[in-house]
């Protein structure tokens, strides 16, 4: 029996056994990481440089893009290093740091999406009170609260798991260190099960709050007689709904799926969708579906 004090390194097993296809997988994940990184940086720079986008909706968007950069940067660089060098070991400190950053990014994104949905609800359903409710002081207070609370939550969760005994193996059946992967190698994972259930419940509550906001928005839009008004309102919400669906869809399948004794291909696909593909697609969805963002990007390109 071993614990985390005697184990110096873990072994990342996922994708490692595919020796013949490592170069192909490296190219694939490098492409995903590069597109996601560039897309999110473009969104951040566009909102910062264009004064017309200095609104709560786009301030939340820059925060979402920042979180997506953390999301992919906490997992993909190490995976690409493993695929490139063939060295699949990761130190205990690196592993728990990776888990802390990933958990922080997942929790922060979940809360941001919920408040972005509320922002759209207030803007469409309570337009006369929008500037009073979503003034600079209020939305900055919300953002600071989100970042601090999720950072504390991720740090507390990581330190709690770090103190648990590891005795089954040092092989992590995943391409990064995360809760369900560590669940397989802990001696007594009862406390970890409770942590995972708690985090999932919080995520579901945030998802339901987002869903309620959009149900109210859609109900109001359907009662509007003006087709132009409907189209304008729908255009500002479709990008949010798409991102919400991708994030929670992949996340629910990943964490609500019953654990398997052996790693399945489906597990890898779901975790890749949740932690790599979704953060890559977010800036693409916002730039393609949001007219104001597209216009701002075109203005920046034209000026340069």
């Amino acid at each position: 029996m071993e614990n985390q004090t005697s184990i110096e390194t873990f072994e990342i097993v996922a994708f490692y056994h595919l020796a013949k296809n490592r170069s192909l997988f490296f190219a694939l994940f490098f492409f995903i990481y590069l597109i996601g990184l560039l897309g999110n940086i473009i969104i951040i720079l566009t909102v910062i440089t264009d004064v017309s986008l200095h609104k709560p909706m786009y301030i939340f968007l820059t925060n979402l893009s920042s979180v997506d950069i953390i999301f992919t940067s906490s997992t993909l660089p190490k995976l690409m290093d493993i695929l490139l060098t063939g060295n699949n070991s990761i130190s205990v400190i690196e592993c728990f740091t990776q888990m802390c950053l990933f958990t922080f990014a997942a929790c922060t994104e979940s809360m941001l999406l919920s408040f972005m949905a509320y922002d759209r609800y207030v803007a469409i359903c309570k337009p006369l009170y929008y500037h009073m409710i979503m003034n600079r002081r209020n939305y900055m207070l919300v953002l600071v609260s989100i970042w601090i609370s999720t950072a504390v939550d991720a740090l507390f969760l990581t330190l709690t798991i770090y103190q648990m005994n590891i005795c089954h193996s040092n092989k992590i059946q995943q391409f990064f260190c995360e809760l369900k992967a560590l669940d397989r190698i802990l001696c007594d994972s009862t406390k970890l099960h409770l942590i995972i259930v708690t985090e999932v419940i919080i995520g579901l509550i945030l998802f339901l709050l987002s869903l309620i906001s959009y149900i109210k928005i859609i109900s109001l839009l359907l009662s509007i007689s003006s087709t132009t008004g409907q189209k304008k309102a729908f255009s500002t919400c479709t990008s949010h709904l798409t991102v919400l669906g991708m994030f929670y869809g992949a996340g629910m399948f990943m964490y609500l799926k019953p654990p398997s004794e052996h790693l399945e291909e489906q597990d890898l696909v779901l975790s890749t969708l949740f932690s790599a593909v979704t953060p890559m697609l977010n800036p693409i969805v916002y730039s393609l579906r949001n007219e104001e963002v597209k216009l701002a990007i075109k203005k920046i390109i034209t000026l340069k």
Side-chain angles (χ1 to χ4, degrees), residues 60-249:
F60 280 119
L61 180 57
T62 57
N63 280 263
L64 186 68
S65 292
S66 301
V67 170
D68 282 335
I69 291 173
I70 297 172
F71 227 139
T72 51
S73 297
S74 65
T75 57
L76 293 188
K78 180 59 183 179
L79 173 61
M80 289 188 289
D81 176 66
I82 291 170
L83 294 170
L84 195 63
T85 64
N87 178 17
N88 70 330
S89 64
I90 182 172
S91 71
V92 172
I93 298 299
E94 285 177 330
C95 180
F96 281 97
T97 301
Q98 189 180 62
M99 188 184 71
C100 184
L101 289 172
F102 176 81
T103 306
F104 165 70
C107 293
T108 306
E109 181 144 346
S110 183
M111 292 190 74
L112 280 172
L113 289 173
S114 182
F115 276 100
M116 288 173 79
Y118 177 71
D119 171 74
R120 290 301 83 209
Y121 161 72
V122 176
I124 295 170
C125 299
K126 309 281 185 182
L128 297 178
Y129 299 97
Y130 181 75
H131 291 290
M132 182 177 69
I133 296 172
M134 299 301 294
N135 59 53
R136 181 179 173 81
R137 178 182 173 276
N138 287 347
Y139 73 71
M140 288 302 293
L141 186 62
V142 165
L143 286 172
V144 171
S145 300
I146 289 173
W147 285 83
I148 292 175
S149 62
T150 52
V152 170
D153 176 61
L155 189 60
F156 173 76
L157 185 147
T158 304
L159 291 174
T160 302
I161 298 172
Y162 181 75
Q163 294 171 3
M164 296 180 186
N165 290 328
I166 297 167
C167 61
H168 294 298
S169 171
N170 72 329
K171 298 182 187 297
I172 295 176
Q173 302 287 336
Q174 185 55 277
F175 68 86
F176 65 100
C177 296
E178 57 95 29
L179 297 177
K180 283 186 74 175
L182 288 172
D183 182 34
R184 293 184 174 95
I185 61 175
L186 290 174
C187 301
D188 181 12
S189 55
T190 306
K191 189 183 286 186
L192 180 55
H193 289 164
L194 183 62
I195 290 171
I196 293 173
V197 169
T198 304
E199 295 294 322
V200 168
I201 289 172
I202 292 171
L204 288 173
I205 291 171
L206 291 170
F207 172 67
L208 287 174
L209 290 174
S210 302
L211 208 58
I212 289 168
S213 295
Y214 283 114
I215 288 171
K216 289 186 176 182
I217 290 170
I218 292 168
S219 299
L220 178 67
L221 292 180
L222 292 175
S223 66
I224 296 174
S225 56
S226 169
T227 311
T228 307
Q230 282 185 342
K231 284 182 179 179
K232 186 177 179 181
F234 269 121
S235 68
T236 61
C237 292
T238 49
S239 54
H240 294 284
L241 279 168
T242 305
V243 170
L244 195 72
M246 289 190 304
F247 178 78
Y248 280 105

